[in-house]
Amino acid sequence: MPEVYFNIEWPDGSQESCYSPSTVIKDHLQEGEEYSMQQFLLLVRQGLNEASERVRQKYGYACSSAIDQLHSITHTAAGFGTQQKLKVRVKKIVSTG
């Protein structure tokens, strides 16, 4: 199963490299796009949950790395609050394998 790394830029300009066990994340996030914090969290939650489910279908167990990544993103996002003006940019999406 090809893995995907997606680099994001938080509202304060800091950057983070994130992981998805499946290319399905590309159905939810687009390279170069900027999302409101709420929209980004919704899309990344959908994408990583779907990616984890694909792992479950293939291997019989959910992907703990996808769930851990979602928790990490959610935790970081909580530090910024929920103001509509806050934006997250998807800088790059790279597939491996």
Side-chain angles (χ1 to χ4, degrees):
M1 186 170 263
E3 299 173 317
V4 173
Y5 291 89
F6 54 103
N7 297 327
I8 60 173
E9 184 177 316
W10 291 105
D12 66 356
S14 64
Q15 296 188 24
E16 183 175 348
S17 179
C18 303
Y19 169 81
S20 172
S22 167
T23 58
V24 74
I25 195 72
K26 293 179 178 182
D27 294 343
H28 299 275
L29 300 174
Q30 300 299 315
E31 185 173 295
E33 287 294 317
E34 188 173 78
Y35 302 97
S36 71
M37 183 68 75
Q38 290 178 342
Q39 183 183 25
F40 173 73
L41 290 174
L42 174 67
L43 293 172
V44 82
R45 184 175 296 112
Q46 290 171 342
L48 289 174
N49 282 333
E50 192 173 331
S52 181
E53 184 56 32
R54 286 192 177 188
V55 170
R56 181 191 312 279
Q57 290 171 0
K58 186 168 184 175
Y59 298 108
Y61 52 86
C63 180
S64 61
S65 293
I67 302 308
D68 289 347
Q69 182 65 75
L70 179 56
H71 287 216
S72 175
I73 289 170
T74 303
H75 177 77
T76 300
F80 290 105
T82 58
Q83 298 175 31
Q84 283 295 330
K85 66 179 181 176
L86 296 175
K87 303 289 184 183
V88 177
R89 180 178 299 278
V90 177
K91 302 284 281 180
K92 189 168 188 148
I93 300 176
V94 178
S95 299
T96 64

